[in-house]
Amino acid sequence: MSNSGRSVMLNSSQTKIKIVDLEEALKSVAGMDIGISVEELKKTEYLLSINPELSGLTKSYEFSVNTKFVKSAASELYVLYKTLSTIIQTSIKNVVNPYEKVILELLYIKAMKYQKAQMYMEKGYQADIYPISATTFADRRRKAIKCVAQSFRIIGILEYVQDGCRIGDLSSLKFVQ
C-alpha cells in the first residue's frame, strides 16, 4: 500500500500531516522541551509498547490481503494501525541521542524484553556504542520516552489514548487520500 499523498489528521485542530512528510514534521519538533505530565508519559509508553503488535498485525494483513477476501472494515483498521506504527517508528528514529534511540529500537521496534535489552546494552550492543550500566539504561530509557512523548503531544496523538492506557474513540481520526 503506497503512502504517497495520504494525509492523516492528528489533533483536535485538525492539522494535516502527510505520511511521507511525517519524518520531517517530527524532526522539526525533536528537541523541543515542553512540560510532559506523568499521564502523558504513561500514554506514550503504552503507544510504544503496542508498536510491535501493530507492526505484526499490519504485516499479517498485507500478507492475507493477497490470499483471501478481506472485509472493508479490516482495511480501515489496517490503515489506522499502519499509520500509528509509522508515527511511533518515525518518532523513535528521530531521537537524537544514539543510546536512547537504540534502547527504544530494542524495546519497541524489535520487541525485546527489558532485561534482555538491558543486558545487550551492558555488554555493548553495537561497536559504535559503549556499554552502559543498568541504571544508565533505565535513565536513558526514561529520557527517550520523554522525548517521544513531547513529539506525540505536539502532533496530538496522545489525545487518542484514554485513561487505563487504551486507544479511545478514533472516529475523529480521519485519513485523506
Side-chain angles (χ1 to χ4, degrees):
M1 182 169 209
S2 173
N3 288 335
S4 62
R6 189 176 343 123
S7 299
V8 59
M9 293 184 198
L10 289 173
N11 61 21
S12 58
S13 64
Q14 301 299 310
T15 302
K16 293 181 184 179
I17 298 174
K18 290 183 179 179
I19 295 299
V20 294
D21 298 331
L22 179 63
E23 187 168 354
E24 197 59 40
L26 288 171
K27 277 183 184 176
S28 70
V29 299
M32 288 184 162
D33 193 13
I34 57 173
I36 298 294
S37 70
V38 172
E39 180 184 350
E40 289 171 322
L41 287 173
K42 287 180 183 178
K43 288 178 176 183
T44 299
E45 193 166 1
Y46 167 73
L47 285 173
L48 289 169
S49 72
I50 65 170
N51 183 59
E53 186 178 348
L54 293 176
S55 231
L57 288 170
T58 57
K59 287 176 186 170
S60 294
Y61 176 82
E62 289 167 353
F63 176 76
S64 68
V65 79
N66 294 320
T67 58
K68 66 179 185 174
F69 176 77
V70 182
K71 294 181 181 179
S72 63
S75 65
E76 290 173 14
L77 284 175
Y78 164 77
V79 172
L80 171 66
Y81 291 170
K82 183 76 170 175
T83 302
L84 284 174
S85 186
T86 301
I87 291 168
I88 292 166
Q89 291 180 24
T90 304
S91 295
I92 290 171
K93 289 177 186 172
N94 284 310
V95 171
V96 177
N97 184 294
Y99 288 93
E100 294 170 7
K101 183 188 294 189
V102 169
I103 290 168
L104 291 179
E105 287 174 351
L106 290 173
L107 293 172
Y108 304 115
I109 293 178
K110 295 183 179 181
M112 193 176 286
K113 298 288 184 193
Y114 183 92
Q115 294 287 17
K116 188 173 182 181
Q118 181 183 324
M119 286 181 2
Y120 269 51
M121 294 300 287
E122 283 179 330
K123 294 178 181 177
Y125 179 68
Q126 295 176 339
D128 59 337
I129 295 182
Y130 296 105
I132 58 174
S133 70
T135 55
T136 304
F137 179 89
D139 290 341
R140 299 274 184 170
R141 179 182 158 275
R142 282 190 293 273
K143 286 180 184 177
I145 290 173
K146 183 180 178 187
C147 177
V148 171
Q150 291 174 349
S151 296
F152 286 174
R153 182 176 179 206
I154 290 169
I155 64 173
I157 198 74
L158 294 177
E159 295 174 16
Y160 297 103
V161 181
Q162 295 179 341
D163 292 334
C165 289
R166 57 188 168 83
I167 300 292
D169 179 20
L170 296 169
S171 60
S172 63
L173 188 65
K174 295 182 176 43
F175 298 94
V176 181
Q177 294 298 331

